[in-house]
């Protein structure tokens, strides 16, 4: 090659090399994503059975079916039940996330009252709320919408669970259900709040906001991502408003029945 011919050849070689690198990198990413989905699928199903048995025996102990317990043991059993509920809740998120990623999640929409579904969701996480004080503001009449009742409750339970995790013990959690133009369930906590920078990536998969105040908080990093995806499958959305140090409000919106 002459000197003026080397440069084009070199540039072409660099483009080909960059293209091959991107293909190789994308293949590795796809392989990792597949492995991650398979792990979620297997781990969630393998955990489900043992946790059901554990929760069953703990409930029997608490009820006294296996004999009388001392007051100290009774308090420990109550704590263990709360922790088993927490694990079961994470397993449920993993199962639903695996279904969503594999394209196996289909909604079974039914006419439902969002007020009643929210009440059921609160009862479903009563143990996880611990010493927090939930208060519900809701209309006197039904708020009708076509939703998948189970998936709708998953979203509300996730918002309540997060509010409890990121708020001081004994703090208030406000739940507001409304139906003016659109069905809304807003959950407001008195927690640590979220910066604007962190809000931008809050709904990404496997993302957890790491600060000194959240180091001891358990979770999968799937809850908010899964919740927003479920909301959008309902032609709705899930949004957040927050100020660091002053708490957060997460709002689930879904269309009302026509």
């Amino acid at each position: 090659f002459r000197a003026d011919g080397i440069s084009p050849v070199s540039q072409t070689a660099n483009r080909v090399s960059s293209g091959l690198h991107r293909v190789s990198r994308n293949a590795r990413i796809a392989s990792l994503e597949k492995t991650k989905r398979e792990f979620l699928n297997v781990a969630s199903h393998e955990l489900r059975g043992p946790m059901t048995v554990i929760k069953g025996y703990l409930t029997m102990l608490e009820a006294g079916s296996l004999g009388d317990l001392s007051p100290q043991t009774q308090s420990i059993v109550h704590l263990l039940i709360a922790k088993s509920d927490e694990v079961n809740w994470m397993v449920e998120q993993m199962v639903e996330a695996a279904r969503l990623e594999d394209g196996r999640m289909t909604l079974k929409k039914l006419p439902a009252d969002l007020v009643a579904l929210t009440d059921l969701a609160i009862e479903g996480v009563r143990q996880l709320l611990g010493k927090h004080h939930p208060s519900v503001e809701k209309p006197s009449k039904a708020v009708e919408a076509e939703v998948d009742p189970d998936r709708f409750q998953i979203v509300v339970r996730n918002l309540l669970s997060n509010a409890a995790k990121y708020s001081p013990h004994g703090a208030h959690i406000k739940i507001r259900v409304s139906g003016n133009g659109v069905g809304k369930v807003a959950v407001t906590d008195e927690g640590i709040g979220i910066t604007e920078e962190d809000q931008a990536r809050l709904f990404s998969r496997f993302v957890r906001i790491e600060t000194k105040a959240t180091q001891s908080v358990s979770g999968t990093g799937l809850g908010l991502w899964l919740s927003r995806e479920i909301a959008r499958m309902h032609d709705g959305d899930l949004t957040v408003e927050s100020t660091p140090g002053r708490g957060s409000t997460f709002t689930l919106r879904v269309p009302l029945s026509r």
Side-chain angles (χ1 to χ4, degrees):
F1 292 94
R2 295 185 311 181
D4 59 351
I6 292 177
S7 180
V9 172
S10 177
Q11 291 174 1
T12 300
N14 286 336
R15 285 196 293 269
V16 170
S17 177
S18 296
L20 290 173
H21 177 70
R22 283 196 298 273
V23 169
S24 176
R25 182 183 60 192
N26 290 341
R28 289 199 300 272
I29 291 173
S31 177
L32 288 171
E33 289 291 334
K34 182 181 178 182
T35 302
K36 195 180 294 181
R37 286 197 302 272
E38 291 174 348
F39 170 78
L40 279 176
N41 218 342
V42 173
S44 57
H45 283 89
E46 291 297 321
L47 284 169
R48 223 173 188 179
M51 287 309 305
T52 300
V53 174
I54 291 170
K55 173 68 181 295
Y57 276 108
L58 287 173
T59 303
M60 291 172 66
L61 280 170
E62 185 181 45
S65 301
L66 302 178
D68 295 333
L69 302 177
S70 68
Q72 185 177 9
T73 304
Q74 187 76 22
S75 65
I76 292 173
V77 169
H78 185 75
L79 174 62
L80 290 175
I81 289 176
K83 289 299 180 183
S84 69
D85 283 342
E86 190 174 334
V87 174
N88 281 326
W89 174 231
M90 288 191 285
V91 169
E92 183 177 10
Q93 287 181 339
M94 291 166 66
V95 170
E96 291 295 290
R99 286 175 180 159
L100 181 60
E101 292 199 315
D102 288 343
R104 294 183 290 113
M105 180 183 284
T106 55
L107 299 182
K108 297 178 181 178
K109 290 185 178 181
L110 301 169
D113 175 15
L114 302 188
V115 175
L117 290 181
T118 300
D119 287 339
L120 287 173
I122 294 170
E123 286 305 311
V125 292
R126 185 69 67 178
Q127 293 278 3
L128 296 180
L129 295 180
K131 295 183 179 179
H132 292 86
H133 302 289
S135 61
V136 185
E137 181 182 328
K138 55 189 178 183
S140 56
K141 60 181 181 178
V143 178
E144 297 287 347
E146 285 200 5
V147 296
D148 183 317
D150 292 335
R151 269 55 184 267
F152 183 88
Q153 289 182 69
I154 283 175
V155 178
V156 178
R157 291 202 305 268
N158 184 57
L159 299 183
L160 292 169
S161 173
N162 279 355
K165 285 181 181 178
Y166 294 100
S167 298
H169 289 295
H172 286 82
I173 297 173
K174 181 179 178 181
I175 304 107
R176 183 173 182 268
V177 186
S178 60
N180 297 324
V182 63
K184 293 182 185 179
V185 178
V187 177
T188 301
D189 62 50
E190 299 177 340
I192 58 176
I194 309 162
T195 65
E196 286 190 21
E197 180 183 358
D198 286 334
Q199 288 177 41
R201 59 192 186 92
L202 189 62
F203 296 97
S204 300
R205 188 180 46 162
F206 294 111
V207 167
R208 300 187 66 233
I209 306 304
E210 298 290 347
T211 67
K212 289 183 178 179
T214 63
Q215 286 178 351
S216 61
V217 177
S218 60
T220 61
L222 292 169
L224 289 176
W225 166 76
L226 176 65
S227 295
R228 175 174 271 187
E229 291 299 315
I230 290 174
R232 290 179 173 178
M233 288 176 72
H234 282 86
D235 298 320
D237 206 356
L238 177 62
T239 57
V240 61
E241 296 178 7
S242 184
T243 303
R246 299 182 62 183
S248 306
T249 297
F250 287 85
T251 304
L252 167 62
R253 295 176 175 85
V254 295
L256 295 174
S257 297
R258 295 180 179 179

